[in-house]
Amino acid sequence: MSQERDTRTAFMEATYRALCTHGYADLTMQDIADETDKSKAALHYHFDGKDDLFREFLAYLHEGFAETIADHPEGTPVERLVALVRRVLDPVDDSADQQFNTAFMEIKAQAPYREGYREVLRRFDADLRTEVADLVREAIENGQYDEETDPEEIAEHVLTYIHGTWTRAAAVGADVVAMREHLVDDLLDLLVDGASVPVDVDATEDRGLAAADPDEPHENSSEDVVDPR
Amino acid sequence: MSQERDTRTAFMEATYRALCTHGYADLTMQDIADETDKSKAALHYHFDGKDDLFREFLAYLHEGFAETIADHPEGTPVERLVALVRRVLDPVDDSADQQFNTAFMEIKAQAPYREGYREVLRRFDADLRTEVADLVREAIENGQYDEETDPEEIAEHVLTYIHGTWTRAAAVGADVVAMREHLVDDLLDLLVDGASVPVDVDATEDRGLAAADPDEPHENSSEDVVDPR
């Protein structure tokens, strides 16, 4: 890695830390420089202001996100789909994560006003949509989902639901795991009769968008399918 | 209505307009006063700063929201449930509405840092949750949904999905009507075999979280069920 690249990575990591401490709205270039051993002048040498820095920061986050969603464990398509949802909606346990989730929501709210923000945010959505739709298609080929299932519609549904989970967690402190497991139940409810995944819930007989105990499938699912973080 | 009350209502309406123009983050007490025929001093006489004003503004918005969700048209429980979802997720047509949706997202992102914001935001959620759960309970009694359906789980699902719709609309300009009709399809998919509502979609045979054409039920539903706005 070149020195230039090291410096930029250091600034990205500093931006993450500064966001967790200050939030987005009040964040200054000085706050970010303070998280490094560089000066504010050095930060301005690399970035043409806060908007420019944040376009790169969003791209940096997107890179990590793309790696996260591509990192599938072994298993049937539906197992991998459930694992994907659980990985993306990993509960925010410590306060730094919660602060970051809230700051990210501020950034989403600023997107209409800031050049280039929406374009990167759309890439997060496009990647997740593609990944979910591909897994649903595999599940259909594999016989876990029936042929009437529409991969694109499921992907859209998952995307909206995931954004809602993040928003409710940030806005009113709603429980991420409970919301996430509702979505998991939705995905298990689509299994054709007789199909199953190593999750202790009789998904095909449930009537309701998420009728099962939200904690059950999580506790009983195979360790192979779940990111143990 | 007393003069004091008139004045406060005028300030609330001014806050709405100022939010649409300036967003939340950069909004000053002066911007709000500028939307009225009163001075900034008068605004400060009534409100102890921006946070205090916004606590009252959120309560004012909540009052309107509570009226909106309580205003049910005639129809079966599931028709009224679908109408409720369509009313809450009314598409944002003009740019003022879009600006307001975005500003409201900024407010949600500020909620963890501002005293009293979360408490009011939770009331929006609690009211919507109660209304949805009550309608699902009625649908079960009425035989439209079967007895395994869990009203509280459906209500949670609807809540998360609605927040996701608002967030995606603000962050990346996603299509509110398409997302909303996915949710409507979810609710129609829960109908027991043989039950129907005046919506031209064979909900009980659909396999998929939202397999039907999102525009179909909207176009073909009875005018009685849908707020024509």
Side-chain angles (χ1 to χ4, degrees):
Chain A
M1 200 185 277
S2 72
Q3 201 189 333
E4 163 72 12
R5 187 123 184 246
D6 278 347
T7 304
R8 294 185 90 90
T9 303
F11 281 137
M12 293 298 106
E13 290 167 359
T15 303
Y16 186 96
R17 289 191 299 274
L19 261 182
C20 292
T21 309
H22 304 279
Y24 172 84
D26 299 331
L27 191 67
T28 64
M29 295 293 265
Q30 185 64 60
D31 294 327
I32 297 168
D34 287 347
E35 293 283 339
T36 70
D37 55 6
K38 306 279 192 306
S39 67
K40 184 176 144 192
L43 190 59
H44 276 289
Y45 172 79
H46 287 88
F47 301 101
D48 192 17
K50 188 172 161 183
D51 283 3
D52 184 44
L53 183 144
F54 267 87
R55 276 190 292 275
E56 177 147 337
F57 181 67
L58 284 173
Y60 165 81
L61 288 180
H62 173 259
E63 217 173 288
F65 183 77
E67 280 171 23
T68 299
I69 66 173
D71 177 29
H72 283 307
E74 296 296 303
T76 63
V78 174
E79 282 173 279
R80 283 181 285 141
L81 183 55
V82 166
L84 172 64
V85 164
R86 287 189 174 140
R87 214 157 55 243
V88 170
L89 291 177
D90 214 18
V92 278
D93 278 332
D94 61 36
S95 71
D97 272 3
Q98 268 175 22
Q99 303 262 46
F100 181 73
N101 184 27
T102 303
F104 200 63
M105 200 169 143
E106 286 182 82
I107 294 174
K108 285 193 260 185
Q110 286 300 312
Y113 312 120
R114 311 283 168 186
E115 202 190 319
Y117 283 28
R118 276 194 162 175
E119 287 65 22
V120 192
L121 290 174
R122 284 193 180 119
R123 279 195 267 150
F124 284 82
D125 285 3
D127 288 355
L128 187 54
R129 185 189 291 113
T130 301
E131 199 69 33
V132 171
D134 284 351
L135 285 168
V136 171
R137 257 184 291 274
E138 278 190 58
I140 296 168
E141 285 162 22
N142 178 293
Q144 290 186 294
Y145 286 168
D146 81 19
E147 293 189 353
E148 301 293 304
T149 314
D150 183 334
E152 301 301 331
E153 299 276 5
I154 308 286
E156 275 293 305
H157 180 100
V158 168
L159 213 53
T160 304
Y161 200 91
I162 284 175
H163 278 282
T165 301
W166 281 327
T167 299
R168 291 185 67 196
V172 299
D175 181 359
V176 170
V177 171
M179 290 185 279
R180 180 188 76 188
E181 294 304 317
H182 286 189
L183 178 55
V184 167
D185 288 337
D186 284 356
L187 296 169
L188 295 176
D189 282 346
L190 289 175
L191 285 166
V192 296
D193 291 346
S196 70
V197 299
V199 164
D200 184 19
V201 51
D202 191 353
T204 55
E205 281 187 18
D206 280 333
R207 189 93 206 154
L209 293 167
D213 177 348
D215 292 331
E216 275 294 291
H218 187 219
E219 285 175 14
N220 295 293
S221 59
S222 149
E223 273 300 309
D224 292 342
V225 205
V226 186
D227 181 335
R229 253 197 306 169
Chain B
M1 202 186 273
S2 72
Q3 200 189 333
E4 163 72 13
R5 188 121 184 248
D6 278 346
T7 304
R8 294 184 90 92
T9 302
F11 281 136
M12 293 299 105
E13 290 168 358
T15 303
Y16 187 97
R17 290 192 299 273
L19 260 183
C20 291
T21 309
H22 303 280
Y24 172 84
D26 298 330
L27 191 67
T28 62
M29 295 293 265
Q30 185 64 61
D31 294 328
I32 297 167
D34 287 348
E35 293 283 339
T36 69
D37 55 5
K38 306 279 192 307
S39 67
K40 185 177 144 192
L43 191 59
H44 275 291
Y45 171 80
H46 286 89
F47 300 102
D48 191 18
K50 189 173 162 183
D51 283 2
D52 183 43
L53 183 145
F54 266 86
R55 276 189 292 276
E56 178 148 337
F57 181 66
L58 284 173
Y60 164 82
L61 288 180
H62 172 258
E63 216 172 291
F65 183 77
E67 279 170 24
T68 298
I69 65 173
D71 178 29
H72 284 306
E74 295 296 303
T76 64
V78 173
E79 282 174 280
R80 282 181 284 144
L81 182 56
V82 166
L84 173 65
V85 163
R86 289 190 174 139
R87 214 157 56 242
V88 170
L89 290 177
D90 214 16
V92 277
D93 279 331
D94 61 36
S95 71
D97 272 2
Q98 267 175 24
Q99 302 262 47
F100 181 74
N101 184 27
T102 302
F104 200 63
M105 200 168 142
E106 286 182 82
I107 294 174
K108 285 193 260 186
Q110 286 300 313
Y113 312 121
R114 311 282 168 186
E115 202 190 319
Y117 282 28
R118 276 193 160 175
E119 286 65 23
V120 191
L121 290 174
R122 285 196 179 116
R123 279 194 268 151
F124 284 82
D125 285 4
D127 288 356
L128 187 54
R129 186 189 292 111
T130 301
E131 200 68 32
V132 171
D134 284 351
L135 285 168
V136 171
R137 257 184 290 273
E138 278 191 58
I140 297 169
E141 284 161 22
N142 176 294
Q144 290 187 293
Y145 286 168
D146 81 18
E147 292 190 352
E148 301 294 303
T149 314
D150 183 333
E152 300 302 330
E153 299 277 5
I154 308 285
E156 274 294 304
H157 180 100
V158 168
L159 213 52
T160 304
Y161 199 92
I162 284 175
H163 278 282
T165 301
W166 281 327
T167 298
R168 290 184 68 197
V172 300
D175 181 358
V176 171
V177 171
M179 290 184 280
R180 181 189 74 186
E181 294 305 316
H182 286 191
L183 178 54
V184 166
D185 288 337
D186 284 357
L187 296 170
L188 295 176
D189 282 346
L190 289 175
L191 285 166
V192 296
D193 290 347
S196 70
V197 299
V199 164
D200 184 19
V201 51
D202 190 352
T204 56
E205 281 187 18
D206 281 333
R207 188 93 207 153
L209 292 167
D213 177 347
D215 292 331
E216 275 295 291
H218 187 219
E219 284 174 14
N220 294 294
S221 59
S222 149
E223 275 300 309
D224 292 340
V225 205
V226 187
D227 181 336
R229 254 196 308 171

